Amino acid sequence: MILPINTPIYVKQNFKYNNIHPIFLSEGNQLFMSEGNSSTFLPVNSKYLVVAIALGVILNPLNTTMITVALPDIQNDFQLTSKDISWLIASYFMISAICLPLTGKISDVYGRKKIFITGLILVAISSFMAPLSTNVMFLLGMRAIQALGTSALYPAGIGIIRTYIEKNQNRVISTLSVFATTSAAFGPTISGLLVEYGGWPVIFYVNFPVIILSAILAFKYIPGDSKFAAKTFKWDVIGIILFGLFLSSWMFFLLSLESGFSLWRMIVSILFTFSFYYFEKKKSEPFINVIYLRKNLNVSFLYVQYILATVVFFSMLLAMPSYLQTVVMLDSKTAGLMMLSISIFAMLMTPIATRWIERAGFRIPLLFGGIVGIVGVGLLLLSNRTLPLFWLFMILAIIGLGNGAVSIGLQNLLYSFVTKQQSGIASGLLMTSRYIGNILASSLFGVMFASGMSDSSKNGMTVVLLVVTVLSIPGIFYITKLRSYSETDGTL
């Protein structure tokens, strides 16, 4: 039987429990249904839908890691200080952290395909203009547009996946994570080759094949947005502004630690934090439902766990290329190849951990990832510039294995807590947590290496990361104690 376009069909996805799920066909898609219930069919083009989303999702980690190897050249071209470089990195993360929950909520309300396509357009504009930068302010502006664009892709993409892909949904999300980790893995290597032969501007042009292919597949295979009933949605403008001020003030405070502790900046940050909390607490339709987060501490602590995992992972991605080039005295190409270890092994661990979670639940795989992370960071603390490259490669690989298990475990655990309708905002907040972790890692980089790159400064950073990995263990026990809570006051 062939059904017409945009016809809602109810397919029995799980005959054991008789769960019925609707699938809507979009233009160019036909779903062939067998008579009876001998098998379940998803749209034959669902794999192209996943590829379209995955290509969009990789743009963020790709651009995050590619720039790490290009930083020395950018610093020389624009005569920047180490503090300027910290701002170049952290401003991208700050904008992303603010925009991710915002674009997630917009996509939940007004349509995920529209937001996804808009994100691709913004990344294309910034990737074309950034290489034309004649000063650092113009480059910062283009990076800001790039951050806004990539911020739209992940929450909209996850919402699309959770809406249209029912079968093996955790594995599909795992596949997205593999795509993202792979792009992060090859980012430094690609950047090292491009910078060596074409200079730093070329790293932005790498985005275009990804953008074009993702856009073609998205237009053709992502179903059109449904008519949303929630047209009475009210924008919490003051809440959005306070959220931005809350994050920005803490970023200013953390980045200022490089030049010393500032009491007044910390006080301002605390004031903005409490202002945001108490204002959102009283809103009937808040930008972020702080009441929900307070009553569902499993979700709140999961975001904290993701912040801690990101601090470790991004500290490695940010510090180790510079350490390898300035202390171990490797060229940019070899340093990029060395950095493959941490991301490649994180990528390899992702599908293994996903299947492990399906069989054993969340706690054991997450604890495995946490303990392996402690071992890897501990070994890094014992290393120095004289350590053979093979062993340094293996240490970074161990850290990658631990991060791969923890990262995908936390992502899938989050989606077991929230509804499909909350996917956009929930995934947006998850990525906001990631960017908060990135900002903390950038601040740690600035403070620990303010006096230069050396074994002692590397060890100082590693001690902090060891404390972070140890602190994550009790958090894992807590968030896996109960998979869900009965108190779900409203939505995110």
PDB file of all heavy atoms in Angstrom, residues 438-468:
ATOM      1  N   ASN A 438      34.009  24.383  28.451  1.00  0.00           N
ATOM      2  CA  ASN A 438      35.046  24.938  27.574  1.00  0.00           C
ATOM      3  C   ASN A 438      35.587  26.268  28.097  1.00  0.00           C
ATOM      4  O   ASN A 438      36.791  26.536  28.030  1.00  0.00           O
ATOM      5  CB  ASN A 438      34.480  25.134  26.164  1.00  0.00           C
ATOM      6  CG  ASN A 438      34.289  23.826  25.425  1.00  0.00           C
ATOM      7  OD1 ASN A 438      34.842  22.802  25.795  1.00  0.00           O
ATOM      8  ND2 ASN A 438      33.485  23.843  24.379  1.00  0.00           N
ATOM      9  N   ILE A 439      34.681  27.115  28.619  1.00  0.00           N
ATOM     10  CA  ILE A 439      35.110  28.405  29.185  1.00  0.00           C
ATOM     11  C   ILE A 439      35.997  28.174  30.401  1.00  0.00           C
ATOM     12  O   ILE A 439      37.032  28.832  30.577  1.00  0.00           O
ATOM     13  CB  ILE A 439      33.882  29.265  29.554  1.00  0.00           C
ATOM     14  CG1 ILE A 439      33.148  29.702  28.280  1.00  0.00           C
ATOM     15  CG2 ILE A 439      34.291  30.478  30.374  1.00  0.00           C
ATOM     16  CD1 ILE A 439      31.784  30.339  28.532  1.00  0.00           C
ATOM     17  N   LEU A 440      35.596  27.218  31.256  1.00  0.00           N
ATOM     18  CA  LEU A 440      36.418  26.897  32.424  1.00  0.00           C
ATOM     19  C   LEU A 440      37.789  26.374  31.994  1.00  0.00           C
ATOM     20  O   LEU A 440      38.820  26.731  32.584  1.00  0.00           O
ATOM     21  CB  LEU A 440      35.705  25.857  33.286  1.00  0.00           C
ATOM     22  CG  LEU A 440      34.455  26.331  34.028  1.00  0.00           C
ATOM     23  CD1 LEU A 440      33.743  25.159  34.692  1.00  0.00           C
ATOM     24  CD2 LEU A 440      34.810  27.388  35.071  1.00  0.00           C
ATOM     25  N   ALA A 441      37.804  25.535  30.945  1.00  0.00           N
ATOM     26  CA  ALA A 441      39.078  25.011  30.448  1.00  0.00           C
ATOM     27  C   ALA A 441      39.942  26.135  29.874  1.00  0.00           C
ATOM     28  O   ALA A 441      41.165  26.153  30.088  1.00  0.00           O
ATOM     29  CB  ALA A 441      38.822  23.945  29.388  1.00  0.00           C
ATOM     30  N   SER A 442      39.308  27.079  29.159  1.00  0.00           N
ATOM     31  CA  SER A 442      40.057  28.219  28.611  1.00  0.00           C
ATOM     32  C   SER A 442      40.649  29.068  29.732  1.00  0.00           C
ATOM     33  O   SER A 442      41.790  29.538  29.635  1.00  0.00           O
ATOM     34  CB  SER A 442      39.140  29.087  27.737  1.00  0.00           C
ATOM     35  OG  SER A 442      38.581  28.341  26.694  1.00  0.00           O
ATOM     36  N   SER A 443      39.868  29.266  30.791  1.00  0.00           N
ATOM     37  CA  SER A 443      40.353  30.033  31.935  1.00  0.00           C
ATOM     38  C   SER A 443      41.504  29.310  32.632  1.00  0.00           C
ATOM     39  O   SER A 443      42.501  29.923  33.023  1.00  0.00           O
ATOM     40  CB  SER A 443      39.212  30.273  32.928  1.00  0.00           C
ATOM     41  OG  SER A 443      38.134  30.919  32.303  1.00  0.00           O
ATOM     42  N   LEU A 444      41.354  27.996  32.788  1.00  0.00           N
ATOM     43  CA  LEU A 444      42.423  27.191  33.391  1.00  0.00           C
ATOM     44  C   LEU A 444      43.694  27.287  32.554  1.00  0.00           C
ATOM     45  O   LEU A 444      44.805  27.420  33.091  1.00  0.00           O
ATOM     46  CB  LEU A 444      41.971  25.737  33.498  1.00  0.00           C
ATOM     47  CG  LEU A 444      42.952  24.739  34.113  1.00  0.00           C
ATOM     48  CD1 LEU A 444      43.266  25.103  35.565  1.00  0.00           C
ATOM     49  CD2 LEU A 444      42.396  23.319  34.021  1.00  0.00           C
ATOM     50  N   PHE A 445      43.533  27.246  31.232  1.00  0.00           N
ATOM     51  CA  PHE A 445      44.674  27.389  30.324  1.00  0.00           C
ATOM     52  C   PHE A 445      45.370  28.730  30.525  1.00  0.00           C
ATOM     53  O   PHE A 445      46.598  28.806  30.617  1.00  0.00           O
ATOM     54  CB  PHE A 445      44.190  27.244  28.880  1.00  0.00           C
ATOM     55  CG  PHE A 445      45.248  27.466  27.839  1.00  0.00           C
ATOM     56  CD1 PHE A 445      46.097  26.444  27.464  1.00  0.00           C
ATOM     57  CD2 PHE A 445      45.379  28.704  27.221  1.00  0.00           C
ATOM     58  CE1 PHE A 445      47.077  26.642  26.500  1.00  0.00           C
ATOM     59  CE2 PHE A 445      46.348  28.921  26.260  1.00  0.00           C
ATOM     60  CZ  PHE A 445      47.201  27.884  25.890  1.00  0.00           C
ATOM     61  N   GLY A 446      44.557  29.802  30.586  1.00  0.00           N
ATOM     62  CA  GLY A 446      45.133  31.137  30.756  1.00  0.00           C
ATOM     63  C   GLY A 446      45.872  31.306  32.064  1.00  0.00           C
ATOM     64  O   GLY A 446      46.946  31.922  32.117  1.00  0.00           O
ATOM     65  N   VAL A 447      45.320  30.747  33.147  1.00  0.00           N
ATOM     66  CA  VAL A 447      45.935  30.894  34.471  1.00  0.00           C
ATOM     67  C   VAL A 447      47.207  30.046  34.586  1.00  0.00           C
ATOM     68  O   VAL A 447      48.253  30.520  35.036  1.00  0.00           O
ATOM     69  CB  VAL A 447      44.931  30.501  35.580  1.00  0.00           C
ATOM     70  CG1 VAL A 447      45.620  30.446  36.944  1.00  0.00           C
ATOM     71  CG2 VAL A 447      43.772  31.487  35.616  1.00  0.00           C
ATOM     72  N   MET A 448      47.128  28.794  34.180  1.00  0.00           N
ATOM     73  CA  MET A 448      48.247  27.873  34.369  1.00  0.00           C
ATOM     74  C   MET A 448      49.429  28.156  33.448  1.00  0.00           C
ATOM     75  O   MET A 448      50.578  27.880  33.805  1.00  0.00           O
ATOM     76  CB  MET A 448      47.770  26.422  34.168  1.00  0.00           C
ATOM     77  CG  MET A 448      46.835  25.954  35.254  1.00  0.00           C
ATOM     78  SD  MET A 448      47.658  26.009  36.882  1.00  0.00           S
ATOM     79  CE  MET A 448      46.286  25.572  37.956  1.00  0.00           C
ATOM     80  N   PHE A 449      49.147  28.703  32.264  1.00  0.00           N
ATOM     81  CA  PHE A 449      50.232  28.927  31.311  1.00  0.00           C
ATOM     82  C   PHE A 449      50.521  30.409  31.098  1.00  0.00           C
ATOM     83  O   PHE A 449      51.116  30.792  30.087  1.00  0.00           O
ATOM     84  CB  PHE A 449      49.889  28.249  29.979  1.00  0.00           C
ATOM     85  CG  PHE A 449      49.715  26.762  30.097  1.00  0.00           C
ATOM     86  CD1 PHE A 449      48.451  26.193  30.048  1.00  0.00           C
ATOM     87  CD2 PHE A 449      50.804  25.933  30.286  1.00  0.00           C
ATOM     88  CE1 PHE A 449      48.278  24.823  30.162  1.00  0.00           C
ATOM     89  CE2 PHE A 449      50.651  24.560  30.415  1.00  0.00           C
ATOM     90  CZ  PHE A 449      49.379  24.003  30.356  1.00  0.00           C
ATOM     91  N   ALA A 450      50.119  31.238  32.061  1.00  0.00           N
ATOM     92  CA  ALA A 450      50.364  32.684  31.963  1.00  0.00           C
ATOM     93  C   ALA A 450      51.852  33.001  31.915  1.00  0.00           C
ATOM     94  O   ALA A 450      52.289  33.942  31.251  1.00  0.00           O
ATOM     95  CB  ALA A 450      49.707  33.403  33.133  1.00  0.00           C
ATOM     96  N   SER A 451      52.654  32.198  32.609  1.00  0.00           N
ATOM     97  CA  SER A 451      54.103  32.430  32.648  1.00  0.00           C
ATOM     98  C   SER A 451      54.850  31.637  31.591  1.00  0.00           C
ATOM     99  O   SER A 451      56.079  31.634  31.570  1.00  0.00           O
ATOM    100  CB  SER A 451      54.648  32.070  34.031  1.00  0.00           C
ATOM    101  OG  SER A 451      54.365  30.719  34.346  1.00  0.00           O
ATOM    102  N   GLY A 452      54.126  30.965  30.723  1.00  0.00           N
ATOM    103  CA  GLY A 452      54.769  30.197  29.659  1.00  0.00           C
ATOM    104  C   GLY A 452      54.440  28.722  29.737  1.00  0.00           C
ATOM    105  O   GLY A 452      53.965  28.220  30.754  1.00  0.00           O
ATOM    106  N   MET A 453      54.728  28.029  28.647  1.00  0.00           N
ATOM    107  CA  MET A 453      54.468  26.598  28.549  1.00  0.00           C
ATOM    108  C   MET A 453      55.681  25.818  29.021  1.00  0.00           C
ATOM    109  O   MET A 453      56.800  26.052  28.558  1.00  0.00           O
ATOM    110  CB  MET A 453      54.138  26.235  27.098  1.00  0.00           C
ATOM    111  CG  MET A 453      53.646  24.827  26.880  1.00  0.00           C
ATOM    112  SD  MET A 453      51.985  24.500  27.540  1.00  0.00           S
ATOM    113  CE  MET A 453      50.956  25.536  26.494  1.00  0.00           C
ATOM    114  N   SER A 454      55.476  24.906  29.965  1.00  0.00           N
ATOM    115  CA  SER A 454      56.568  24.091  30.502  1.00  0.00           C
ATOM    116  C   SER A 454      55.986  22.830  31.129  1.00  0.00           C
ATOM    117  O   SER A 454      54.766  22.693  31.271  1.00  0.00           O
ATOM    118  CB  SER A 454      57.361  24.872  31.551  1.00  0.00           C
ATOM    119  OG  SER A 454      56.546  25.164  32.669  1.00  0.00           O
ATOM    120  N   ASP A 455      56.878  21.920  31.537  1.00  0.00           N
ATOM    121  CA  ASP A 455      56.410  20.721  32.225  1.00  0.00           C
ATOM    122  C   ASP A 455      55.731  21.056  33.544  1.00  0.00           C
ATOM    123  O   ASP A 455      54.728  20.444  33.918  1.00  0.00           O
ATOM    124  CB  ASP A 455      57.579  19.762  32.480  1.00  0.00           C
ATOM    125  CG  ASP A 455      57.866  18.859  31.289  1.00  0.00           C
ATOM    126  OD1 ASP A 455      56.912  18.445  30.609  1.00  0.00           O
ATOM    127  OD2 ASP A 455      59.045  18.582  31.027  1.00  0.00           O
ATOM    128  N   SER A 456      56.266  22.047  34.263  1.00  0.00           N
ATOM    129  CA  SER A 456      55.687  22.400  35.564  1.00  0.00           C
ATOM    130  C   SER A 456      54.295  23.007  35.407  1.00  0.00           C
ATOM    131  O   SER A 456      53.379  22.700  36.178  1.00  0.00           O
ATOM    132  CB  SER A 456      56.607  23.367  36.315  1.00  0.00           C
ATOM    133  OG  SER A 456      56.782  24.559  35.582  1.00  0.00           O
ATOM    134  N   SER A 457      54.106  23.861  34.404  1.00  0.00           N
ATOM    135  CA  SER A 457      52.777  24.451  34.196  1.00  0.00           C
ATOM    136  C   SER A 457      51.795  23.387  33.698  1.00  0.00           C
ATOM    137  O   SER A 457      50.622  23.388  34.074  1.00  0.00           O
ATOM    138  CB  SER A 457      52.860  25.615  33.205  1.00  0.00           C
ATOM    139  OG  SER A 457      53.412  25.210  31.977  1.00  0.00           O
ATOM    140  N   LYS A 458      52.287  22.466  32.875  1.00  0.00           N
ATOM    141  CA  LYS A 458      51.434  21.348  32.440  1.00  0.00           C
ATOM    142  C   LYS A 458      51.012  20.497  33.625  1.00  0.00           C
ATOM    143  O   LYS A 458      49.846  20.078  33.731  1.00  0.00           O
ATOM    144  CB  LYS A 458      52.190  20.502  31.409  1.00  0.00           C
ATOM    145  CG  LYS A 458      51.407  19.330  30.819  1.00  0.00           C
ATOM    146  CD  LYS A 458      51.589  18.036  31.570  1.00  0.00           C
ATOM    147  CE  LYS A 458      53.008  17.504  31.470  1.00  0.00           C
ATOM    148  NZ  LYS A 458      53.158  16.231  32.224  1.00  0.00           N
ATOM    149  N   ASN A 459      51.939  20.260  34.558  1.00  0.00           N
ATOM    150  CA  ASN A 459      51.616  19.465  35.749  1.00  0.00           C
ATOM    151  C   ASN A 459      50.624  20.193  36.652  1.00  0.00           C
ATOM    152  O   ASN A 459      49.765  19.564  37.277  1.00  0.00           O
ATOM    153  CB  ASN A 459      52.880  19.124  36.516  1.00  0.00           C
ATOM    154  CG  ASN A 459      53.749  18.116  35.792  1.00  0.00           C
ATOM    155  OD1 ASN A 459      53.269  17.402  34.910  1.00  0.00           O
ATOM    156  ND2 ASN A 459      55.026  18.057  36.128  1.00  0.00           N
ATOM    157  N   GLY A 460      50.731  21.534  36.735  1.00  0.00           N
ATOM    158  CA  GLY A 460      49.768  22.296  37.523  1.00  0.00           C
ATOM    159  C   GLY A 460      48.360  22.143  36.994  1.00  0.00           C
ATOM    160  O   GLY A 460      47.402  21.945  37.748  1.00  0.00           O
ATOM    161  N   MET A 461      48.219  22.216  35.666  1.00  0.00           N
ATOM    162  CA  MET A 461      46.912  22.009  35.050  1.00  0.00           C
ATOM    163  C   MET A 461      46.421  20.586  35.297  1.00  0.00           C
ATOM    164  O   MET A 461      45.235  20.363  35.592  1.00  0.00           O
ATOM    165  CB  MET A 461      47.004  22.268  33.547  1.00  0.00           C
ATOM    166  CG  MET A 461      45.699  22.049  32.789  1.00  0.00           C
ATOM    167  SD  MET A 461      45.891  21.929  30.991  1.00  0.00           S
ATOM    168  CE  MET A 461      46.628  20.286  30.858  1.00  0.00           C
ATOM    169  N   THR A 462      47.324  19.619  35.204  1.00  0.00           N
ATOM    170  CA  THR A 462      46.941  18.215  35.345  1.00  0.00           C
ATOM    171  C   THR A 462      46.458  17.908  36.758  1.00  0.00           C
ATOM    172  O   THR A 462      45.544  17.096  36.939  1.00  0.00           O
ATOM    173  CB  THR A 462      48.122  17.296  34.980  1.00  0.00           C
ATOM    174  OG1 THR A 462      48.639  17.676  33.698  1.00  0.00           O
ATOM    175  CG2 THR A 462      47.689  15.846  34.916  1.00  0.00           C
ATOM    176  N   VAL A 463      47.041  18.541  37.765  1.00  0.00           N
ATOM    177  CA  VAL A 463      46.580  18.351  39.144  1.00  0.00           C
ATOM    178  C   VAL A 463      45.124  18.791  39.284  1.00  0.00           C
ATOM    179  O   VAL A 463      44.296  18.101  39.899  1.00  0.00           O
ATOM    180  CB  VAL A 463      47.475  19.120  40.135  1.00  0.00           C
ATOM    181  CG1 VAL A 463      46.845  19.161  41.525  1.00  0.00           C
ATOM    182  CG2 VAL A 463      48.853  18.480  40.220  1.00  0.00           C
ATOM    183  N   VAL A 464      44.783  19.935  38.690  1.00  0.00           N
ATOM    184  CA  VAL A 464      43.401  20.424  38.729  1.00  0.00           C
ATOM    185  C   VAL A 464      42.475  19.431  38.032  1.00  0.00           C
ATOM    186  O   VAL A 464      41.390  19.107  38.538  1.00  0.00           O
ATOM    187  CB  VAL A 464      43.294  21.811  38.074  1.00  0.00           C
ATOM    188  CG1 VAL A 464      41.838  22.271  38.016  1.00  0.00           C
ATOM    189  CG2 VAL A 464      44.131  22.834  38.832  1.00  0.00           C
ATOM    190  N   LEU A 465      42.906  18.928  36.881  1.00  0.00           N
ATOM    191  CA  LEU A 465      42.076  17.972  36.135  1.00  0.00           C
ATOM    192  C   LEU A 465      41.916  16.658  36.893  1.00  0.00           C
ATOM    193  O   LEU A 465      40.868  16.015  36.809  1.00  0.00           O
ATOM    194  CB  LEU A 465      42.686  17.713  34.756  1.00  0.00           C
ATOM    195  CG  LEU A 465      42.784  18.919  33.819  1.00  0.00           C
ATOM    196  CD1 LEU A 465      43.335  18.493  32.468  1.00  0.00           C
ATOM    197  CD2 LEU A 465      41.441  19.611  33.650  1.00  0.00           C
ATOM    198  N   LEU A 466      42.938  16.255  37.641  1.00  0.00           N
ATOM    199  CA  LEU A 466      42.831  15.036  38.440  1.00  0.00           C
ATOM    200  C   LEU A 466      41.776  15.204  39.532  1.00  0.00           C
ATOM    201  O   LEU A 466      40.978  14.285  39.786  1.00  0.00           O
ATOM    202  CB  LEU A 466      44.191  14.698  39.054  1.00  0.00           C
ATOM    203  CG  LEU A 466      44.304  13.354  39.780  1.00  0.00           C
ATOM    204  CD1 LEU A 466      44.000  12.204  38.839  1.00  0.00           C
ATOM    205  CD2 LEU A 466      45.702  13.195  40.384  1.00  0.00           C
ATOM    206  N   VAL A 467      41.747  16.366  40.152  1.00  0.00           N
ATOM    207  CA  VAL A 467      40.725  16.653  41.164  1.00  0.00           C
ATOM    208  C   VAL A 467      39.331  16.613  40.534  1.00  0.00           C
ATOM    209  O   VAL A 467      38.385  16.049  41.103  1.00  0.00           O
ATOM    210  CB  VAL A 467      40.978  18.025  41.829  1.00  0.00           C
ATOM    211  CG1 VAL A 467      39.816  18.412  42.745  1.00  0.00           C
ATOM    212  CG2 VAL A 467      42.282  18.011  42.620  1.00  0.00           C
ATOM    213  N   VAL A 468      39.200  17.197  39.336  1.00  0.00           N
ATOM    214  CA  VAL A 468      37.912  17.221  38.629  1.00  0.00           C
ATOM    215  C   VAL A 468      37.430  15.805  38.329  1.00  0.00           C
ATOM    216  O   VAL A 468      36.245  15.474  38.539  1.00  0.00           O
ATOM    217  CB  VAL A 468      38.032  18.045  37.323  1.00  0.00           C
ATOM    218  CG1 VAL A 468      36.787  17.862  36.455  1.00  0.00           C
ATOM    219  CG2 VAL A 468      38.225  19.520  37.651  1.00  0.00           C
TER     220      VAL A 468
END
